[in-house]
């Protein structure tokens, strides 16, 4: 007797091949049989006529490292079709971490990944110090999706160098200690090593995240340590100063794939992302495995001036970082501060999150009813009406409302022609959801549904079987997740049943379910009929099931 039979589904198997209509039977968490018309007995039978069945989505860029310790359902991802999440991206992990470094680690995450310090303090369960102990905690706690975890460069640095991690290059001895910890983590089951050299990645008070202080030799040594055992993927969110040629050398020396983030299209520097993709192609032509993480979502962030992530990477914003209350308001009101910000925005930059495109910054919600007429209007528009400067207009409004005004900025990746080209690039991977991070700024955990609905159905920018391949098998192969990412007999029953005619992600909305009742943005699935992880139904047409089992596997063995 089988546990589940899905009948008459349009099977998109993840290979990129043409779909076929057929049945799929599941037993003990695995796909037992696939055929045109299976004559089997099953406990549960789903008639999927007209619906499509694909392998569950693999989200290769999440930041669930902290959230998963209090929320094993990693909301909202499973309801959005994600059955496997890779955590630890950019190297911003919470393991390894000594008890004395916990506060600093949380303060850094608050800044770099936009996580509320109160939420982290109330939420994180710290029953570990080493990476292996962290994995043991995850295994004991269970999860609704399958997990693979990177060992994080910034955490290694903090463990070995303490507070100096964010101040200086490492000594040869310190690099050797980190390399040995990388080898231990790989033996414990890490999926690879993650790092960041991006100037957008700052910890508390605007101090660079530790991995940004690493010399090239340190990056190379750690990647070699990762590859020494014949496995692992190296991922890095790179700054403009880190050339693809260095990453090619890292792939060559380690013999391992390199994933490069965050390849987003910047309208103020539209050629940059294609230059990187061309360099990635050239490296592949020379036999290396380099892959660029691209996003199928425009990067749009909600923010208040109390914590304005989009501008916090500006050097001129530094006086405001770490300031609070009256001190922060004084900085924001200072004409000298405003002039410095204007000057920086007027100068060209290789990579910058916010580029002074004031027509793409809007007022979402005012705190004072007298300003209601400003909601939904752009800052450029509001400033033009007053005959003033846009930065002044935004800051003056925020100051008049005790910094409680909510703004939204469309930052990057909104040029649909350019993004379509990036999504179809032979060496790109559709990724960058950042699920688990920036919880009040944006929510792209539904990126897979957006690819299927917007890019495939609405724009016709990609064929459905190819989109499915890019969301499933491509990642499974890259990471060596054997038995996942394809609909095959004997493979894991990670499944997404959806309606191709309606699939998509709903509008973002705010919910208050974080520890202490703090808010986060979320989105609902559209056109999803069922999500199974290892054969267990975790979400249906109404979203995450209340009784969803924690059937995810913590993966610690990956094919070379
Ligand atoms: Zn990230």
């Amino acid at each position: 007797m089988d546990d589940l039979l899905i009948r008459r589904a349009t099977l998109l198997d993840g290979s990129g091949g043409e779909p076929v209509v057929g049945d799929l039977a599941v037993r003990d968490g695995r796909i037992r049989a696939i055929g045109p018309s299976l004559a089997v007995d099953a406990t549960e039978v789903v008639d999927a006529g007209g619906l499509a069945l694909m392998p569950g989505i693999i989200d290769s860029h999440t930041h669930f490292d902290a959230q998963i310790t209090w929320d094993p359902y990693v909301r909202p991802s499973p309801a959005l079709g994600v059955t496997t999440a890779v955590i630890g991206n950019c190297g911003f992990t919470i393991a390894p971490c000594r008890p004395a470094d916990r506060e600093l680690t949380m303060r850094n995450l608050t800044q770099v990944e936009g996580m509320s310090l109160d939420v982290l303090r109330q939420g994180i369960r710290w029953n570990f110090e080493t990476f292996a102990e962290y994995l043991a905690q995850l295994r004991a706690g269970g999860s609704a999706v399958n997990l693979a975890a990177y060992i994080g460069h910034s955490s290694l640095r903090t463990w070995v160098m303490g507070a100096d991690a964010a101040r200086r290059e490492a000594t040869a001895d310190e690099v050797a200690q980190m390399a040995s910890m990388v080898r231990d983590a790989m033996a414990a089951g890490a999926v690879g090593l993650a790092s960041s050299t991006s100037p957008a990645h700052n910890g508390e008070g605007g101090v660079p995240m530790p991995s940004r202080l690493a010399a090239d030799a340190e990056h190379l040594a750690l990647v070699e340590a990762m590859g020494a055992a014949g496995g692992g993927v190296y991922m890095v969110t790179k700054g403009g100063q880190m050339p693809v040629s260095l990453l090619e050398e890292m792939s060559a020396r380690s013999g391992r794939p390199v994933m490069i983030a965050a390849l987003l299209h910047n309208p103020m520097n539209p050629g940059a992302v294609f230059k990187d993709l061309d360099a990635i192609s050239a490296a592949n032509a020379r036999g290396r495995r380099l892959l660029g993480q691209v996003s199928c979502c425009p990067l749009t962030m909600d923010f208040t001036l109390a914590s304005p992530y989009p501008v916090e990477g500006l050097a001129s914003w530094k006086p405001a970082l770490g300031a609070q209350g009256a001190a922060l308001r004084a900085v924001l009101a200072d004409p000298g501060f405003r002039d410095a910000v204007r000057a920086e925005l007027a100068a060209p930059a290789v990579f910058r999150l916010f580029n002074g495109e004031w027509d793409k910054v809007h007022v979402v919600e005012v705190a004072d009813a007298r300003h209601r007429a400003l909601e939904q209007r752009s800052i450029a528009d509001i400033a033009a009406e007053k005959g003033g400067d846009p930065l002044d207009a935004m800051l003056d409004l925020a100051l008049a409302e005790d910094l409680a005004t909510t703004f939204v900025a469309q930052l990057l990746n909104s040029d649909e022609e350019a993004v379509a080209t990036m999504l179809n690039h032979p060496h790109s991977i559709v990724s960058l959801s950042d699920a688990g991070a920036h919880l009040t700024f944006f929510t792209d955990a539904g990126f897979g549904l957006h690819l299927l609905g917007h890019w495939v159905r609405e724009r016709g920018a990609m064929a459905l079987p190819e989109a499915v391949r890019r969301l499933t098998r491509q990642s499974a192969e890259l990471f060596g997740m054997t038995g996942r990412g394809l609909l095959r007999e004997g493979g894991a029953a990670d499944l997404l049943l959806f309606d191709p005619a309606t699939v998509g992600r709903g509008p973002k909305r705010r919910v208050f379910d974080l520890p202490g009742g703090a808010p986060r943005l979320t989105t609902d699935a559209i056109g999803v009929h069922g999500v199974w992880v290892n054969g267990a139904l975790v979400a249906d047409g109404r979203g995450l099931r209340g009784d969803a089992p924690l059937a995810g596997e913590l993966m610690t063995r990956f094919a070379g």
Side-chain angles (χ1 to χ4, degrees):
M1 182 97 159
D2 288 317
D3 301 319
L4 170 68
L5 173 66
I6 300 176
R7 295 186 56 234
R8 300 192 303 131
T10 301
L11 301 169
L12 291 140
D13 70 359
S15 69
E18 282 308 306
V20 293
V21 174
D23 298 355
L24 183 145
V26 174
R27 189 183 292 181
D28 297 331
R30 303 199 160 269
I31 299 170
R32 192 193 57 75
I34 301 173
S37 182
L38 298 176
V40 298
D41 246 358
T43 314
E44 175 106 40
V45 179
V46 176
D47 185 356
L51 301 178
L53 186 67
M54 64 179 269
I57 293 165
I58 298 174
D59 187 340
S60 57
H61 194 125
T62 81
H63 292 280
F64 283 129
D65 303 64
Q67 183 182 329
I68 194 163
T69 71
W70 73 78
D71 173 24
Y73 294 96
V74 294
R75 293 177 178 85
S77 289
L80 299 164
V82 172
T83 57
T84 298
V86 181
I87 64 176
N89 277 274
C90 312
F92 307 144
T93 47
I94 58 171
C97 184
R98 292 200 174 87
D101 294 326
R102 286 173 186 166
E103 180 71 12
L104 175 66
T105 297
M106 290 190 287
R107 285 178 176 277
N108 282 341
L109 281 179
T110 295
Q111 181 61 38
V112 75
E113 295 296 352
M115 299 173 175
S116 148
L117 186 57
D118 280 344
V119 168
L120 295 176
R121 280 181 177 153
Q122 291 180 54
I124 298 180
R125 312 250 193 288
W126 292 101
N127 300 321
F128 60 87
E129 291 187 28
T130 66
F131 181 76
E133 289 164 0
Y134 175 69
L135 290 188
Q137 179 179 326
L138 294 188
R139 194 176 290 114
S143 60
V145 301
N146 307 302
L147 292 174
Y150 284 113
I151 176 77
H153 190 176
S154 282
S155 298
L156 289 172
R157 267 190 148 244
T158 300
W159 179 282
V160 170
M161 300 170 67
D164 269 7
R167 294 191 192 125
R168 61 169 174 85
E169 291 189 358
T171 64
D173 181 53
E174 288 163 342
V175 172
Q177 286 181 54
M178 284 187 257
S180 137
M181 292 174 74
V182 168
R183 281 188 291 272
D184 289 349
M186 294 307 294
V191 72
L193 168 70
S195 187
S196 166
T197 59
S198 168
H201 284 154
N202 298 300
E204 192 188 25
V207 173
M209 286 300 282
S211 59
R212 289 181 53 199
L213 277 295
D216 290 356
E218 176 179 332
H219 289 290
L220 280 164
L222 299 189
V223 173
E224 281 185 313
M226 177 198 81
V233 171
Y234 175 65
M235 91 71 60
V236 62
T237 296
K238 80 173 189 70
Q241 78 291 351
M242 191 184 215
V244 173
S245 54
L246 173 63
L247 294 161
E248 181 174 353
E249 192 184 340
M250 291 162 89
S251 178
R253 285 222 215 161
S254 63
R256 303 304 310 161
V258 171
M259 291 254 258
I260 303 169
L263 299 187
L264 297 162
H265 185 261
N266 181 349
M268 307 304 275
N269 191 356
V273 72
F274 294 107
K275 230 178 97 193
D276 279 347
L277 284 168
D278 286 349
I280 289 170
S281 283
N284 278 276
R286 288 186 282 267
R288 311 295 167 220
R289 274 186 291 168
L290 271 60
L291 212 54
Q293 289 191 352
V294 301
S295 170
C296 66
C297 307
L299 183 60
T300 300
M301 285 197 186
D302 285 19
F303 65 96
T304 70
L305 266 299
S307 175
Y309 194 88
V311 286
E312 285 179 341
L314 297 174
S316 56
W317 204 266
K318 214 145 188 198
L321 281 181
Q324 275 162 7
L328 174 57
R329 289 195 297 275
V331 174
L332 298 179
D334 174 23
F337 168 79
R338 294 181 178 192
D339 285 343
V341 173
R342 274 188 282 268
E344 183 173 357
L345 288 174
V350 175
F351 175 83
R352 194 159 55 200
L353 209 46
F354 177 63
N355 290 282
E357 296 178 281
W358 295 107
D359 56 323
K360 294 184 181 173
V361 183
H362 289 77
V363 178
V364 177
E365 196 177 350
V366 295
D368 181 335
R370 285 171 301 176
H371 298 142
R372 186 104 328 137
L374 299 177
E375 287 181 353
Q376 314 311 326
R377 290 184 63 192
S378 79
I379 298 299
D381 190 31
I382 294 168
E385 186 180 77
K386 283 188 177 168
D389 170 85
L391 179 67
D392 289 336
M394 179 174 77
L395 294 181
D396 290 344
L397 172 59
L399 286 167
E401 300 202 322
D402 206 17
L403 310 190
T405 326
T406 306
F407 300 92
V408 64
Q410 197 178 78
L411 299 164
L412 301 167
N413 232 41
S414 55
D415 179 333
E416 296 225 311
E417 293 290 315
V419 173
T421 306
M422 292 158 60
L423 293 176
N424 282 294
H425 189 277
H427 303 294
S428 71
I429 181 161
V430 185
S431 186
L432 297 177
S433 82
D434 262 343
H438 310 293
L439 297 180
T440 58
F441 298 102
F442 67 97
T443 175
D444 286 343
F447 75 105
L449 304 183
H450 188 60
L451 184 74
L452 300 172
H454 180 68
W455 294 99
V456 172
R457 185 184 64 244
E458 290 172 7
R459 285 195 61 99
M462 192 183 283
L464 182 57
E466 171 64 2
V468 169
R469 184 190 73 81
R470 282 179 176 261
L471 294 172
T472 58
R473 183 196 189 179
Q474 188 188 18
S475 280
E477 271 189 348
L478 177 86
F479 290 110
M481 295 170 175
T482 310
R484 299 194 190 277
L486 277 173
L487 300 183
R488 288 287 183 274
E489 289 174 5
D494 295 339
L495 306 169
L496 168 55
L497 182 66
F498 68 100
D499 184 350
T502 60
V503 68
R505 60 171 179 171
K508 66 187 173 191
R509 60 188 176 87
R510 232 179 307 173
V511 291
F512 298 82
D513 62 357
L514 290 175
R520 68 179 170 101
L521 291 170
T522 189
T523 181
D524 298 316
I526 298 173
V528 166
H529 288 248
V531 181
W532 291 263
V533 176
N534 297 312
L537 183 66
V538 295
D540 56 25
R542 293 184 301 276
L544 184 70
R545 286 167 57 100
D547 59 349
L550 298 177
E553 181 199 350
L554 174 68
M555 289 177 276
T556 53
R557 292 284 166 266
F558 304 92

